[in-house]
Amino acid sequence: MRFSGWRVLREGLRGNKGWQPHWRDAEPKAEYDAIIIGGGGHGLSTAYYLAKEHGLTNIAVLEKGYLGGGNVGRNTTIVRANYFLDGNSQFYSHSLKLWENLEQELNYNVMLSQRGQLMLCHSDGQRDAYARRGNSIVGQGDDAELLDVEGVRKIAPFLDFENTRFPIYGGLMQRRAGTARHDAVAWGYARGASQRGVDLIQQCEVTGIDVENGVVRGVQTTRGPIRAKKVGIVTAGRSSQVAAMAGLRLPIESHVLQAFVTEGLKPVIDSVISFGMGHFYISQSDKGGLVFGGDLDYYASYAARGNLPAKEHVMEAGMTLMPMIGKAKVLRSWGGIMDMTPDGSPIIDKSPIEGLFLNCGWCYGGFKAVPGSGNSFAHLMATGNHHKPAEKFRLDRFRTGRGLMDEEGTGSQHNLH
Ligand SMILES: Cc1cc2nc3c(=O)[nH]c(=O)nc-3n(C[C@H](O)[C@H](O)[C@H](O)COP(=O)(O)OP(=O)(O)OC[C@H]3O[C@@H](n4cnc5c(N)ncnc54)[C@H](O)[C@@H]3O)c2cc1C
């Protein structure tokens, strides 16, 4: 079934009786050519591209809960391609290009809104660093614009420009950045994969990975054993636990990241805004809520809820940047489990076990990576070769020290990225 304006009209006139489920709720088979563990954004997009671009259709996505119930449905939905370092910049550029055609590709409204992202700077040094970063982004084909104070004021007049401690010096704007509807991305990829024959199996937790003589043979699940020639671990915050089932120790720590949304307000914030002197970022959802977040909770945890000191820290940053936010009432907050690497950049690679592949370490930034990650990971799983845009995301950089991509320059401490 294809979605179109005509279809909406027809269903409206017929009492909406003709809509069908977006995907088949499949039963597990005894054997697949490939299994993807994890039905989040990255797992579903991997399955979609495996089927669409590599013709592999005897595949299953195994999800312990429900599709899209993990971080893909818990994030603040920022999409951008303004990374500085070689490796990251090509990859996120590739991903943003896929975003820009995603609705046509999936025939699904993912509500991509390229409203721009503005990163604020608060010192001469930071402005210089942004100029350098902007040049690098433009140099590799994406857009970036260095704004002075007046340029920022036009976009966001409500900011506290004269803050004694953190006055605003300007900002780096990427106009093609923005937001998308997170659930819709998961549903769109799920629908596209299911239409191409992929089995999407919910309530199916992987409890073991079968390995014989260094080769993966399949998985143990709460719905029985399933054999497979290839297995991809795409379980975000649970990656180190799932990899441990195959005897692997990943360089990943899991941490909670919280987000917040206020009551619905009239349109006030047009773009995504990031505070340069504290970790705080904000946008306004299509329903009117101000959606914002900040730093991790700073201790490793698997709890999908956060603590009060981190909430206070985020609120203080918000008040410093835009005191008007103090008038809005926070409606709810939530947490998600982040798979943090020591350099803050992800891993898309083969594991030391033949047939077992790793896609993890997305830290704060995995939502914007969903299309690119699935596209590149599917290429790796299908062909055995690294996909050019993601070729630098190697696991062994943490052993050799070569090829580390520390965007923040914060060193090898997971919770600082
Ligand atoms: C509060 C918050 C804000 C964020 N904001 C942004 C943002 O603005 N922009 C951005 O780019 N990124 C953002 N992120 C990061 C982004 O959401 C994640 O990096 C990304 O969603 C992770 O990939 P995923 O979608 O595949 O993860 P998930 O949706 O978590 O998918 C992993 C799936 O694996 C399943 N699983 C785990 N263990 C097993 C098992 N044993 N068997 C079967 N299934 C299993 C889980 O149930 C889960 O559904 C944010 C994250 C949070 C929490």
Short mmCIF file of all heavy atoms in Angstrom, two decimals, residues 371-392:
data_model
loop_
_atom_site.label_atom_id
_atom_site.label_comp_id
_atom_site.label_asym_id
_atom_site.label_seq_id
_atom_site.Cartn_x
_atom_site.Cartn_y
_atom_site.Cartn_z
N PRO A 371 20.03 6.86 8.82
CA PRO A 371 20.08 6.41 7.42
C PRO A 371 21.50 5.99 6.99
O PRO A 371 21.68 4.93 6.37
CB PRO A 371 19.63 7.64 6.63
CG PRO A 371 18.92 8.51 7.62
CD PRO A 371 19.58 8.26 8.93
N GLY A 372 22.50 6.80 7.34
CA GLY A 372 23.87 6.51 6.92
C GLY A 372 24.39 5.24 7.56
O GLY A 372 25.07 4.42 6.91
N SER A 373 24.08 5.04 8.82
CA SER A 373 24.57 3.87 9.53
C SER A 373 24.01 2.58 8.93
O SER A 373 24.74 1.63 8.66
CB SER A 373 24.16 4.00 11.00
OG SER A 373 24.19 2.77 11.64
N GLY A 374 22.69 2.55 8.71
CA GLY A 374 22.09 1.35 8.13
C GLY A 374 22.64 1.09 6.74
O GLY A 374 22.93 -0.06 6.36
N ASN A 375 22.80 2.16 5.97
CA ASN A 375 23.30 2.04 4.61
C ASN A 375 24.72 1.47 4.59
O ASN A 375 25.03 0.53 3.83
CB ASN A 375 23.25 3.45 3.98
CG ASN A 375 23.51 3.45 2.52
OD1 ASN A 375 24.55 3.90 2.08
ND2 ASN A 375 22.57 2.95 1.74
N SER A 376 25.58 1.99 5.46
CA SER A 376 26.98 1.55 5.48
C SER A 376 27.13 0.17 6.13
O SER A 376 27.96 -0.64 5.72
CB SER A 376 27.85 2.56 6.23
OG SER A 376 27.94 3.74 5.49
N PHE A 377 26.34 -0.07 7.16
CA PHE A 377 26.44 -1.36 7.86
C PHE A 377 25.92 -2.49 6.96
O PHE A 377 26.48 -3.59 6.92
CB PHE A 377 25.66 -1.30 9.17
CG PHE A 377 25.97 -2.42 10.13
CD1 PHE A 377 27.27 -2.76 10.45
CD2 PHE A 377 24.95 -3.13 10.75
CE1 PHE A 377 27.56 -3.79 11.34
CE2 PHE A 377 25.21 -4.15 11.64
CZ PHE A 377 26.52 -4.49 11.94
N ALA A 378 24.85 -2.21 6.22
CA ALA A 378 24.32 -3.21 5.28
C ALA A 378 25.39 -3.54 4.23
O ALA A 378 25.59 -4.72 3.88
CB ALA A 378 23.06 -2.69 4.61
N HIS A 379 26.09 -2.53 3.76
CA HIS A 379 27.15 -2.75 2.77
C HIS A 379 28.22 -3.68 3.36
O HIS A 379 28.66 -4.63 2.72
CB HIS A 379 27.76 -1.40 2.38
CG HIS A 379 28.85 -1.50 1.35
ND1 HIS A 379 28.63 -1.34 0.01
CD2 HIS A 379 30.17 -1.76 1.49
CE1 HIS A 379 29.76 -1.50 -0.64
NE2 HIS A 379 30.73 -1.75 0.24
N LEU A 380 28.62 -3.38 4.60
CA LEU A 380 29.66 -4.20 5.25
C LEU A 380 29.18 -5.64 5.44
O LEU A 380 29.90 -6.60 5.14
CB LEU A 380 30.03 -3.58 6.60
CG LEU A 380 31.05 -4.34 7.44
CD1 LEU A 380 32.43 -4.33 6.78
CD2 LEU A 380 31.16 -3.76 8.85
N MET A 381 27.95 -5.80 5.93
CA MET A 381 27.45 -7.16 6.19
C MET A 381 27.26 -7.95 4.89
O MET A 381 27.52 -9.15 4.84
CB MET A 381 26.11 -7.10 6.94
CG MET A 381 26.26 -6.76 8.41
SD MET A 381 24.72 -6.94 9.33
CE MET A 381 24.53 -8.73 9.37
N ALA A 382 26.82 -7.26 3.84
CA ALA A 382 26.53 -7.97 2.59
C ALA A 382 27.79 -8.30 1.81
O ALA A 382 27.93 -9.39 1.24
CB ALA A 382 25.58 -7.14 1.73
N THR A 383 28.74 -7.35 1.77
CA THR A 383 29.90 -7.52 0.89
C THR A 383 31.17 -7.93 1.64
O THR A 383 32.13 -8.37 1.02
CB THR A 383 30.21 -6.21 0.13
OG1 THR A 383 30.65 -5.23 1.10
CG2 THR A 383 29.00 -5.67 -0.60
N GLY A 384 31.19 -7.69 2.93
CA GLY A 384 32.41 -7.96 3.70
C GLY A 384 33.42 -6.83 3.60
O GLY A 384 34.49 -6.88 4.21
N ASN A 385 33.09 -5.78 2.82
CA ASN A 385 34.00 -4.63 2.67
C ASN A 385 33.43 -3.41 3.36
O ASN A 385 32.22 -3.20 3.37
CB ASN A 385 34.19 -4.29 1.18
CG ASN A 385 34.76 -5.47 0.42
OD1 ASN A 385 35.67 -6.14 0.90
ND2 ASN A 385 34.18 -5.74 -0.75
N HIS A 386 34.33 -2.57 3.88
CA HIS A 386 33.87 -1.34 4.52
C HIS A 386 33.31 -0.38 3.48
O HIS A 386 33.85 -0.27 2.38
CB HIS A 386 35.02 -0.68 5.29
CG HIS A 386 35.37 -1.42 6.53
ND1 HIS A 386 36.31 -2.42 6.57
CD2 HIS A 386 34.85 -1.33 7.78
CE1 HIS A 386 36.37 -2.91 7.79
NE2 HIS A 386 35.49 -2.27 8.55
N HIS A 387 32.24 0.28 3.85
CA HIS A 387 31.62 1.26 2.97
C HIS A 387 32.41 2.55 3.10
O HIS A 387 32.72 2.98 4.21
CB HIS A 387 30.16 1.47 3.41
CG HIS A 387 29.30 2.13 2.40
ND1 HIS A 387 28.30 3.00 2.73
CD2 HIS A 387 29.26 2.03 1.04
CE1 HIS A 387 27.69 3.41 1.64
NE2 HIS A 387 28.24 2.84 0.60
N LYS A 388 32.70 3.21 1.99
CA LYS A 388 33.59 4.37 2.02
C LYS A 388 33.22 5.42 3.09
O LYS A 388 34.08 5.83 3.86
CB LYS A 388 33.59 5.00 0.61
CG LYS A 388 34.56 6.11 0.42
CD LYS A 388 35.81 5.63 -0.34
CE LYS A 388 36.76 6.76 -0.62
NZ LYS A 388 37.92 6.78 0.27
N PRO A 389 31.94 5.85 3.16
CA PRO A 389 31.66 6.93 4.14
C PRO A 389 31.92 6.52 5.60
O PRO A 389 32.12 7.39 6.44
CB PRO A 389 30.16 7.21 3.93
CG PRO A 389 29.82 6.64 2.61
CD PRO A 389 30.76 5.49 2.38
N ALA A 390 31.91 5.22 5.89
CA ALA A 390 32.06 4.78 7.29
C ALA A 390 33.35 4.00 7.50
O ALA A 390 33.51 3.30 8.50
CB ALA A 390 30.86 3.93 7.68
N GLU A 391 34.29 4.13 6.57
CA GLU A 391 35.46 3.26 6.62
C GLU A 391 36.40 3.55 7.80
O GLU A 391 37.26 2.74 8.13
CB GLU A 391 36.25 3.32 5.30
CG GLU A 391 36.88 4.67 5.04
CD GLU A 391 37.59 4.73 3.70
OE1 GLU A 391 37.67 3.70 3.02
OE2 GLU A 391 38.05 5.83 3.36
N LYS A 392 36.22 4.70 8.43
CA LYS A 392 37.12 5.03 9.55
C LYS A 392 36.59 4.57 10.90
O LYS A 392 37.26 4.74 11.92
CB LYS A 392 37.35 6.55 9.58
CG LYS A 392 38.00 7.09 8.31
CD LYS A 392 39.28 7.85 8.64
CE LYS A 392 40.21 8.04 7.47
NZ LYS A 392 39.80 8.92 6.42
#
